[in-house]
Amino acid sequence: MNLAGIIEPHPGEAPALVGASGAAVTYGQLRRAVPALQQRLVEAGIGAADRVAIISANDPAFVVAYLATLRAGAVAVPLNIASPPAELQRQLAQVDVAAILVGPGGDHVAGALLGRGATPTMNIGAGEAATRGTATVTAGPEMVERAADDLAALLFTAGTAGAPRAAMLTHGNLLANLDQVHRHPGPGAQASDRLLAVLPLCHIFGLNAVLGEALFVGASVLLLDRFDPARTLDLIAEHGVTILVGAPNLFAALAAAPAAAGEPMRSVRFAFSGAAPLSSEIADAWEKRFGFALRQGYGLTEASPVVTTAVMDEPARRGSIGIPLPEVEVRLVDIDGEEALAGDPGEIWVRGPNVFPGYWNDADATQAALSSDGWLRTGDIAVVADDGELAIVDRAKDLIIVSGFNVYPAEVEEALAEHPGVGEVAVIGDVDTRRGEVVHAFVVRKDTEAADPTAAELTDWCRARLARYKCPSQYTFVPSLPHGLAGKLLRRSLRSATGSATGSATGSATGSEA
């Protein structure tokens, strides 16, 4: 077994990848490029179980790097090129990588990391890396056999257990989820399909639910390294995209984009939203603009990622996240740890071959997320209808989801608390129609002789330490924060005070006094 083997069965002349330039990479070219890069890894001393970071935009080079790392028996660690060097440095140190593969968009990041004493890097070039060596067939090194419980990837996520940590996903986890999605009731992806990959491939949704699923069935993927709504509509029509998968903000932006020439959605068979709750406003705008329903699924990194999804050959139901995939067990558990009564909300617990074994070198977080008999406690609250379809109603955790990316308040609070002018800080999520949620920071200024920090100053401070999507879009300066009798911060009071459950943030780094 090796996840990299998913590209082997498909016809060599079939298109596998289409880069931003429009040039196609066939499965045959991919099967030659991957062993070639694997050979470079072997020559660099990379062996089984070594961690290899990948820093690249959505590009064929990323795909080659990912598959070559797996084929060598090593563990892929995809990182977000939008993250500042300080955050990437922390992640690299946490998992002790043996090499860094740098693709398009990653050069500036790699340069900054090298200046901080990071692990030496290997440049893998741009899209042409996926077609290198196609004139002659070279066998390259053999694919390293792996067991189902051997690690394939480490993906950083705020997940269900607090601050960002590396979730361990095995070859068996990722392959199981691909097979589960493929066997879900209703017509799924087929070899004739073309999927749009605008979700970053460093995110599990883009990595396995889009790229992995396409390569699993022999379909092709249109890789976009940046998202421009109008241009994306043109590319969907130009390349005949048949399946759209993304976070709600993607569909909101497409529905609001200026009219494109012709009918941009004429080739699309279905569109799936995930990674964050889909609001009725976005679903309505989509259906009004394009004339067909936007369906919803549910998953999380720790489940590789898909847990439930809509059944394609049944009418779409607003608010539903569908039914569990084959071989995925789902139960709803109440506050007392008992099965929730029919019709009552409960925390979603998940069990199946797609559920991860835990967090890297973090036994406490793993124990908090997984029960002794293998149930993943998701922290999400749902209800189930009589026909088995689920609907998300709340989150048990304080997790904030910005454009499908997880943001844990503690990490943002820690970064802001290091500012010399900040005495105390609390972070919550505000509803935002475009991004799902945005980060809102409540700041108590420190009583010092120095000038009080402004929203602009704190924004710059955060951007030097955190990925941009984690940085607050709204600052409220307050004289004090609400605490309970035991000293616990009362986030609910902050939400009530701002109306954040129903309102929206400004979307820009602004400040206000309270």
Side-chain angles (χ1 to χ4, degrees):
M1 165 186 286
N2 190 309
L3 180 61
I6 60 176
I7 65 173
E8 298 298 328
H10 312 307
E13 68 278 7
L17 312 170
V18 179
S21 66
V25 176
T26 67
Y27 277 95
Q29 292 172 322
L30 200 54
R31 287 198 290 266
R32 290 187 285 272
V34 170
L37 182 55
Q38 179 190 355
Q39 181 65 47
R40 292 177 63 190
L41 292 173
V42 172
E43 292 171 354
I46 302 301
D50 283 337
R51 274 80 62 200
V52 176
I54 303 172
I55 303 177
S56 173
N58 285 12
D59 184 272
F62 178 104
V63 182
V64 173
Y66 175 58
L67 295 174
T69 299
L70 297 177
R71 200 174 192 274
V75 180
V77 188
L79 299 176
N80 189 347
I81 63 172
S83 297
E87 182 173 347
L88 292 174
Q89 185 64 39
R90 288 195 299 270
Q91 294 173 345
L92 291 169
Q94 183 176 332
V95 299
D96 188 23
V97 300
I100 304 172
L101 301 183
V102 182
D107 288 338
H108 70 290
V109 178
L113 289 175
L114 285 172
R116 296 166 181 254
T119 303
T121 64
M122 181 186 302
N123 195 295
I124 53 176
E128 62 269 17
T131 60
R132 188 180 295 127
T134 57
T136 60
V137 177
T138 56
E142 292 292 324
M143 182 163 58
V144 176
E145 185 70 14
R146 306 304 284 157
D149 58 357
D150 282 332
L151 287 187
L154 291 169
L155 284 97
F156 281 88
T157 175
T160 65
R165 62 196 78 245
M168 301 187 293
L169 297 174
T170 68
H171 287 264
N173 292 152
L174 295 164
L175 280 168
N177 203 233
L178 297 179
D179 182 62
Q180 289 163 337
V181 171
H182 185 59
R183 293 191 289 117
H184 193 64
Q190 305 165 7
S192 58
D193 280 315
R194 175 159 291 171
L195 286 73
L196 178 70
V198 66
L199 289 163
L201 295 180
C202 62
H203 190 288
I204 187 61
F205 198 9
L207 185 68
N208 213 42
V210 179
L211 175 65
E213 192 62 31
L215 299 181
F216 183 74
V217 301
S220 62
V221 182
L222 174 61
L223 298 165
L224 298 187
D225 58 357
R226 62 183 180 87
F227 176 61
D228 174 82
R231 176 59 177 155
T232 299
L233 286 176
D234 290 338
L235 290 172
I236 289 170
E238 178 184 344
H239 293 283
V241 171
T242 59
I243 298 176
L244 298 177
V245 181
N249 65 304
L250 166 76
F251 297 106
L254 291 177
E263 301 176 45
M265 295 293 166
R266 66 182 183 275
S267 61
V268 176
R269 295 201 296 120
F270 52 82
F272 270 106
S273 177
L278 175 66
S279 70
S280 58
E281 291 82 1
I282 294 175
D284 288 340
W286 177 270
E287 192 161 356
K288 181 178 180 181
R289 171 74 185 271
F290 298 115
F292 65 96
L294 180 58
R295 298 172 185 269
Q296 190 173 190
Y298 166 76
L300 62 167
T301 301
E302 292 86 345
S304 306
V306 186
V307 173
T308 70
T309 192
V311 177
M312 286 309 304
D313 53 6
E314 294 182 1
R317 179 183 298 176
R318 188 60 52 83
S320 171
I321 57 171
I323 62 175
L325 300 184
E327 298 185 12
V328 173
E329 299 177 77
V330 171
R331 57 189 294 212
L332 300 184
V333 178
D334 65 21
I335 194 170
D336 297 319
E338 303 293 334
E339 297 287 339
L341 298 176
D344 286 350
E347 182 183 6
I348 301 174
W349 286 23
V350 181
R351 186 167 66 178
N354 56 312
V355 172
F356 82 145
Y359 297 103
W360 179 260
N361 285 345
D362 198 329
D364 291 341
T366 297
Q367 186 175 8
L370 293 172
S371 71
S372 59
D373 52 353
W375 287 96
L376 170 64
R377 307 178 183 99
T378 70
D380 293 308
I381 307 299
V383 294
V384 61
D386 292 340
D387 60 2
E389 292 205 16
L390 288 96
I392 298 289
V393 296
D394 201 354
R395 285 201 303 275
K397 309 293 183 182
D398 289 321
L399 189 67
I400 302 168
I401 302 180
V402 179
S403 299
F405 287 93
N406 294 344
V407 179
Y408 202 76
E411 182 186 22
V412 184
E413 290 165 357
E414 181 179 1
L416 281 168
E418 292 175 352
H419 189 284
V422 172
E424 192 177 8
V425 60
V427 165
I428 65 170
D430 280 349
V431 175
D432 182 83
T433 56
R434 185 168 62 90
R435 288 175 285 179
E437 289 182 292
V438 290
V439 180
H440 186 165
F442 290 79
V443 176
V444 178
R445 294 183 174 112
K446 187 177 292 185
D447 186 14
T448 66
E449 295 181 359
D452 288 336
T454 64
E457 180 182 348
L458 294 180
T459 295
D460 291 340
W461 179 271
C462 283
R463 287 180 177 175
R465 292 160 176 79
L466 300 168
R468 182 155 295 200
Y469 67 86
K470 298 179 181 179
C471 297
S473 297
Q474 175 77 14
Y475 291 89
T476 299
F477 296 96
V478 295
S480 63
L481 295 175
H483 292 274
L485 293 177
K488 182 178 180 181
L489 177 67
L490 301 178
R491 296 183 193 276
R492 186 182 300 273
S493 297
L494 295 175
R495 296 188 183 98
S496 299
T498 62
S500 62
T502 56
S504 64
T506 62
S508 59
T510 60
S512 62
E513 301 284 345

